[in-house]
Amino acid sequence: MNELRKGFFVFDMAVFGFSLFALNHTMFIESWIVEAALDIALLLRITVLLLLYKRERLAIIPLVTFVLLYGFFIYTDAFHHFIISMAKFPSGVMGTEIVEYPMVLERPIMGEMLMRNLIYWVWLMPVAIYVVQFATKLTKDNGYPWYYLIGGIVFKDSIGKLLLSMVLSLFIALLIGYEMQENLSFYAVMSIPLVGYYFCNRHIGRNPYWIEYAVLLIGLYVFDKAQYKVDGERVAYLAASATIVFTVCCWMCYKSRRVVLSLLAFMMMAFLLPTVSLGYNVYQSIEGTRSINYYHVGVSNNKGYMYIKREVVVNGEKSWYIGVRNRYHTTIPCEYKFVLPTKMYSPFATCIKENRDSIVRSVEYGYVLE
C-alpha cells in the first residue's frame, strides 16, 4: 500500500512537471506582477505536495492559499492561450504552429478538453489528497466505518435523517417545479410542505394535531393564489401566507421548545418548498399574473418561460395586456396586446400593441431588435 501511495505522488509530480514545461512554452504574461503571482502559486503547489506526502498538519495553510490563487487564474481565464496552443500537442510544445495557426475557426475540441482536465488536475488534486488523508485519520481516531464518510452516517444519525428527508422533499419539489406545469405545481405546493412539516415534528418525536395541517393548507392555498395577483395585492397575499405558516410554526415551537428547528420549519414551509414547487420566483415580476407557458424559446431552452398578463382599462373597457417572464424576472413587460414567436422555436417574439404597432424583442433578454 505504501508503494502504491509513493507511485501516486510520483505520477502527480510527473503531471505537474509536464504542465510546468507546457506553461513555460505557451504562456505569455505582460504584467510582471501577474507572472510573479502565478510563479508563487506554482511554488506553493510543489510545497503542498511535499507536505501532503509527509502528512504534515500545516499543509492546510499553503493548500488554501494555492487553491485560492490558482483558482483566481482559472476564473479569469488566464490559461486560455495555453489550452488552445497545447490542444495541438506536440506541435505546440515544440514551438511551431502557435503563431502561424491560431486555430480560431477549427480547434481540436478533444485536445482542449484534455488540457482543461490537466489544469483542473493541478488545481484540485491536492485538495482531494488532503480530504482522503483527513478522512483516513478520522476513521482511525473515532472508529467510524468508511461508508459514514461518503454519506452513510445520515441513515444512522437523527439529524442526518431529518436533513435527508428535507433534501428529498426539496429534490421532488425541484423536479416538479422544473416543468412549471400549473396543475402539477398546485398539488406540489399543497402537499410537499406538509410532508416537510411532518418530518420536522417526527424528528423530535411529536405528532402534530390535524388542525395544524389544516391551517398550513390554508396558508399554502393563499401562497398559490398570490401568483394570480399583481402589485400590492400579491404582496399582501404573500405576507398573509407567511403569517399563517409562522403561526403554525410558533405553535410547534411552543409545544416542542425547539426554537431553531421551528425556525427551519418556517423557512422551509413558508418560502423554500412552495417557491421551488412553482419553479419560478413568485416574489419577482409582480406586475403581471401567471398565465400559460411560453414554449418557443430556442430548441433546447423551451422551459422556464411563461406568459404574464395584467388587467387594464382601455376606453372604459377592461382588457388584458400580456408579457413574458422567465424563472427569475420579466423579459417582456405587460405592455402588449399580443406576443407571438416570430417563427417556431424562435428566441424572438413579435410584440403587438393596442394601436397595432409592433416590435420584435428577445424573449430571453428583452432587448428590442433594431
Side-chain angles (χ1 to χ4, degrees):
M1 189 67 179
N2 193 41
E3 292 299 324
L4 183 62
R5 176 174 173 270
K6 290 181 180 179
F8 177 80
F9 276 94
V10 171
F11 175 75
D12 180 76
M13 184 60 74
V15 172
F16 179 63
F18 171 76
S19 66
L20 281 180
F21 181 67
L23 284 170
N24 185 58
H25 280 72
T26 56
M27 288 286 287
F28 177 75
I29 302 176
E30 295 182 356
S31 172
W32 68 269
I33 299 178
V34 177
E35 185 174 2
L38 180 59
D39 291 338
I40 293 174
L42 298 175
L43 180 61
L44 285 173
R45 177 58 162 80
I46 300 175
T47 304
V48 167
L49 189 65
L50 293 175
L51 291 175
L52 290 175
Y53 178 73
K54 294 185 176 183
R55 293 191 173 96
E56 295 288 344
R57 295 176 58 187
L58 293 179
I60 186 63
I61 298 176
L63 175 61
V64 171
T65 307
F66 162 75
V67 169
L68 293 177
L69 193 58
Y70 202 79
F72 172 77
F73 284 101
I74 294 177
Y75 177 75
T76 56
D77 202 21
F79 299 110
H80 176 77
H81 187 69
F82 158 76
I83 293 171
I84 300 303
S85 299
M86 286 301 299
K88 291 189 67 175
F89 177 82
S91 58
V93 77
M94 298 302 294
T96 61
E97 298 188 16
I98 294 180
V99 178
E100 294 85 348
Y101 303 101
M103 294 173 289
V104 175
L105 297 178
E106 295 184 4
R107 285 162 33 179
I109 303 301
M110 289 301 299
E112 285 191 41
M113 292 176 60
L114 289 174
M115 291 303 105
R116 290 187 186 277
N117 289 336
L118 177 64
I119 291 293
Y120 280 96
W121 174 287
V122 173
W123 185 37
L124 298 177
M125 188 50 64
V127 178
I129 295 173
Y130 182 83
V131 170
V132 170
Q133 290 184 353
F134 179 80
T136 303
K137 184 177 184 302
L138 188 65
T139 56
K140 289 182 178 179
D141 293 346
N142 298 280
Y144 292 144
W146 64 270
Y147 58 83
Y148 270 27
L149 300 177
I150 59 173
I153 193 173
V154 301
F155 298 97
K156 298 292 184 180
D157 185 77
S158 60
I159 296 180
K161 292 179 180 179
L162 173 64
L163 293 177
L164 184 64
S165 62
M166 299 308 293
V167 168
L168 182 60
S169 300
L170 185 61
F171 179 69
I172 295 174
L174 183 65
L175 291 179
I176 296 176
Y178 177 75
E179 296 297 326
M180 285 179 64
Q181 207 285 327
E182 189 172 7
N183 294 329
L184 192 59
S185 292
F186 170 77
Y187 291 116
V189 169
M190 299 298 292
S191 60
I192 293 179
L194 297 182
V195 175
Y197 186 72
Y198 165 78
F199 281 123
C200 285
N201 282 274
R202 183 177 179 180
H203 171 68
I204 56 178
R206 176 177 178 267
N207 293 320
Y209 300 109
W210 67 267
I211 190 66
E212 295 177 54
Y213 292 115
V215 175
L216 271 179
L217 278 174
I218 295 174
L220 295 171
Y221 181 79
V222 173
F223 182 93
D224 181 78
K225 290 304 174 186
Q227 60 185 327
Y228 303 103
K229 307 299 178 181
V230 297
D231 300 337
E233 192 174 4
R234 180 183 295 188
V235 174
Y237 268 67
L238 292 173
S241 173
T243 302
I244 295 171
V245 177
F246 181 74
T247 302
V248 176
C249 293
C250 284
W251 178 257
M252 172 186 170
C253 181
Y254 172 74
K255 287 295 184 179
S256 64
R257 307 298 180 184
R258 303 289 291 272
V259 178
V260 175
L261 183 61
S262 300
L263 182 60
L264 172 65
F266 169 67
M267 298 299 294
M268 293 288 291
M269 309 317 133
F271 303 106
L272 187 57
L273 288 176
T275 301
V276 173
S277 297
L278 290 180
Y280 72 98
N281 187 357
V282 72
Y283 301 94
Q284 289 287 343
S285 304
I286 63 175
E287 72 277 4
T289 69
R290 177 173 189 162
S291 187
I292 60 175
N293 288 3
Y294 186 101
Y295 291 105
H296 306 283
V297 189
V299 177
S300 61
N301 189 24
N302 59 358
K303 294 184 186 295
Y305 289 83
M306 69 169 66
Y307 284 107
I308 53 177
K309 59 182 182 179
R310 181 184 183 91
E311 189 178 57
V312 295
V313 178
V314 179
N315 298 326
E317 296 183 358
K318 291 184 178 180
S319 181
W320 291 96
Y321 281 178
I322 63 175
V324 177
R325 65 160 294 166
N326 59 20
R327 298 185 189 275
Y328 312 105
H329 55 80
T330 298
T331 57
I332 299 179
C334 293
E335 300 174 353
Y336 305 98
K337 191 65 178 175
F338 301 100
V339 176
L340 304 171
T342 55
K343 60 181 180 180
M344 187 65 70
Y345 300 116
S346 171
F348 304 105
T350 301
C351 306
I352 305 174
K353 294 187 176 182
E354 186 76 32
N355 59 4
R356 300 302 178 182
D357 289 343
S358 65
I359 58 174
V360 177
R361 305 185 70 141
S362 168
V363 181
E364 296 183 68
Y365 306 105
Y367 59 80
V368 179
L369 268 67
E370 296 293 340

